[in-house]
DNA sequence: GCTTGACTTAGACAAAGTCTATTGTAGGAT
DNA sequence: ATCCTACAATAGACTTTGTCTAAGTCAAGC
């Protein structure tokens, strides 16, 4: 069963067929779908679900902190259900494949006070770019 | 005089009023304008300049490596003329203010082989998020 | 001062996302 | 079990950001 769905249920989230389908579609590892991809897969399970609902539902999941928004390319946002283990992303510049990665150390400590401009820093986002093995050998 | 403009001229770039204006608008430190902001400022200096030209010109500057594209929020791309000193970005989550920052160390070395999935990594992009002093005191 | 190919233009088009007014329904109250 | 009501879903118009095209303009070399 869906971990994501369990977590959402546990928060008193009003459950509907649409929300269940969106949660099911998103569940898994190394999942980074765009809103439109989520919609396409949701429609396969529940043909009458609307685009607006998918956007709303994704937005709520992000607000609840159960799903992360990532924008690895400069086009559509992607949604990542792996919100409970902090991680960064590795993206293939050719084909767009995305992997979750866990660098050692904390990039926060690499930013000296003199480079903080008085900001209170709460979060760091790191995107590695390169070429995946498949594209490299092609 | 504009450094950016000098560099472009030195590459045999055909100079036109439109290109000059775009280069002038972009010149400076901690400049991170969206294409539309560039257009708005360009129009102030050269009323008949078109949106398409601004997009074209920005795209060419990026191809020439004289300007960087950054997407710190998930909306419009921003253009950064500071292309010759590698740097990352610090963004205020409230007001969107952006600073160029120079962390110590190289985040590339923080990613162990076991987390590279066979990729050849060519680039890292780091975005720090937080609250700027102005927003913190408001 | 011509000529020519590169540059610019206006506006149509496209993709991604937001908003609104209306209709539907989950889940508590009875 | 049924009713109510606030919350959720819907269709589709709208907005924002960016791309494309066909036709007109102009910088720079001759």
């Amino acid at each position: 069963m869906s971990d994501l769905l369990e977590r959402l249920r546990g928060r008193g989230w009003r459950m509907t067929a649409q929300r269940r389908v969106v949660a099911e579609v998103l569940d898994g590892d190394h999942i980074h779908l765009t809103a439109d991809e989520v919609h396409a897969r949701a429609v396969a399970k529940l043909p009458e679900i609307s685009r607006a609902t998918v956007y709303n539902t994704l937005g709520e999941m992000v607000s609840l902190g159960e799903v992360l928004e990532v924008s690895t390319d400069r086009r559509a946002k992607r949604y990542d259900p792996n919100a409970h283990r902090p991680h960064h992303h590795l993206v293939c510049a050719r084909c767009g494949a995305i992997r979750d990665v866990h660098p050692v150390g904390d990039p926060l400590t690499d930013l000296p006070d003199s480079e903080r401009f008085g900001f209170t820093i709460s979060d760091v986002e790191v995107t590695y770019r390169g070429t995946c093995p498949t594209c490299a050998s092609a």
Side-chain angles (χ1 to χ4, degrees), chain A:
Chain A
M1 197 53 223
S2 162
D3 274 1
L4 177 56
L5 201 45
E6 287 306 312
R7 291 200 305 267
L8 292 167
R9 211 194 296 275
R11 286 164 173 263
W13 214 43
R14 180 163 156 185
M15 192 48 58
T16 67
Q18 291 82 348
R19 289 176 166 190
R20 183 165 24 250
V21 164
V22 170
E24 282 170 11
V25 162
L26 265 188
D27 202 43
D29 277 332
H30 294 295
I31 293 286
H32 307 90
L33 299 171
T34 65
D36 260 10
E37 285 163 357
V38 172
H39 181 235
R41 295 185 189 203
V43 162
K45 296 179 175 228
L46 185 68
E48 63 276 26
I49 193 172
S50 83
R51 234 159 51 87
T53 298
V54 170
Y55 277 100
N56 289 342
T57 304
L58 290 171
E60 284 157 24
M61 288 172 173
V62 170
S63 296
L64 289 172
E66 294 294 348
V67 167
L68 295 176
E69 254 178 33
V70 300
S71 35
T72 51
D73 55 19
R74 272 45 176 267
R75 318 219 16 173
K77 291 177 208 165
R78 291 175 178 277
Y79 294 88
D80 182 342
N82 187 7
H84 290 289
R85 220 188 332 159
H87 63 278
H88 297 292
H89 292 101
L90 168 55
V91 183
C92 177
R94 277 269 282 283
C95 70
I98 304 173
R99 303 265 124 191
D100 290 355
V101 295
H102 305 82
V104 299
D106 182 359
L108 261 180
T109 61
D110 292 344
L111 194 65
D113 267 1
S114 62
E115 287 284 307
R116 296 192 179 206
F117 297 91
F119 280 54
T120 309
I121 300 179
S122 54
D123 188 39
V124 196
E125 196 185 306
V126 182
T127 305
Y128 296 90
R129 289 178 200 286
T131 310
C132 74
T134 310
C135 286
S137 66

